[in-house]
Amino acid sequence: DALMYMGEFSKLIRQTLNNSSKQSVSLEDEIHYLETYIKLENLRLNGRVTYKLNTDKNIDLNEIMVPPMLIQPFVENVFLHAFDKDTINPTLTINFSNNQNLLICEIIDNGKGMNSEVLNNSKNSKGIILVKERISLLQKQTADPISIDTIPSKGTTITLNLKLNNYD
C-alpha cells in the first residue's frame, strides 16, 4: 500500500510541477490531474469515496484549454470537509458541460453540507478568494464565476463558469 501511495503521490507532484509553469492546459490534462489527486485522497480513505467524472459528448477534451489546478482546491475541500466517518456511501461527482461560450464545471458531493455560517465563511475563504482572483485576471466577466449551493446533511454543489479557450 505504501508503494502504491508513493507512486501516486510522485505522479501528482510531477504533474503539479509540470503544470505550475503553464497558463493553460487541455481539459483532458486537467481531468487526468484531478483523477490522480482523487485516487491519492481515496487511498488515504481506504477507497470509501465513489467518484464519477462526466463530460458532455460535444466537448473536445484536447481542444478546450483551462487554467491548471483551478478545480483541485474544491475537490480537496470535499475530501477535507464534506465526508466524515458517518457519511453513508460518500460520492463525489464532477461534471463538465458547455453552455454557449462557457465551460461549466460542477463539483457535487453528498456530504455534510454547510449551514449558513459555514457557507458565509467559506465564501470568504482564502482558497475561494484566490481562485476568484485568478479567474478574474484571466477573463473579464461581470457575473460571479463561482456559485455554492449547499443543503445541510445532503451535500454541496460548487459551480465554476469559465469562458471557453480564453487562456492561451
Side-chain angles (χ1 to χ4, degrees), residues 6-56:
M6 289 302 296
E8 288 298 317
F9 181 71
S10 296
K11 189 189 307 183
L12 184 69
I13 293 299
R14 276 191 303 278
Q15 288 175 301
T16 301
L17 291 172
N18 188 37
N19 290 347
S20 65
S21 62
K22 297 178 181 177
Q23 185 170 333
S24 63
V25 296
S26 70
L27 182 56
E28 181 175 45
D29 287 345
E30 184 70 1
I31 288 172
H32 287 306
Y33 182 80
L34 291 171
E35 287 177 320
T36 302
Y37 181 81
I38 291 167
K39 285 178 190 173
L40 188 63
E41 283 288 356
N42 217 10
L43 281 171
R44 185 177 61 80
L45 298 175
N46 297 317
R48 277 189 64 227
V49 177
T50 301
Y51 74 93
K52 302 172 198 158
L53 282 155
N54 305 309
T55 59
D56 277 356

Side-chain angles (χ1 to χ4, degrees), residues 85-119:
K85 64 179 176 19
D86 298 325
T87 304
I88 299 170
N89 298 321
T91 303
L92 166 65
T93 304
I94 303 173
N95 297 321
F96 292 97
S97 60
N98 62 349
N99 183 4
Q100 297 172 357
N101 197 31
L102 290 176
L103 175 68
I104 312 297
C105 173
E106 295 175 305
I107 301 118
I108 305 163
D109 70 68
N110 67 338
K112 296 186 295 187
M114 296 180 263
N115 62 34
S116 58
E117 181 181 334
V118 173
L119 179 60

Side-chain angles (χ1 to χ4, degrees), residues 112-159:
K112 296 186 295 187
M114 296 180 263
N115 62 34
S116 58
E117 181 181 334
V118 173
L119 179 60
N120 288 334
N121 288 338
S122 74
K123 288 181 179 180
N124 295 318
S125 79
K126 187 76 167 168
I128 290 178
I129 289 170
L130 289 173
V131 169
K132 283 183 181 182
E133 287 176 2
R134 191 168 167 212
I135 292 171
S136 69
L137 288 172
L138 297 170
Q139 66 185 30
K140 304 294 183 233
Q141 70 181 40
T142 55
D144 190 349
I146 302 170
S147 67
I148 303 171
D149 296 310
T150 186
I151 300 172
S153 302
K154 298 285 184 187
T156 301
T157 299
I158 306 285
T159 305

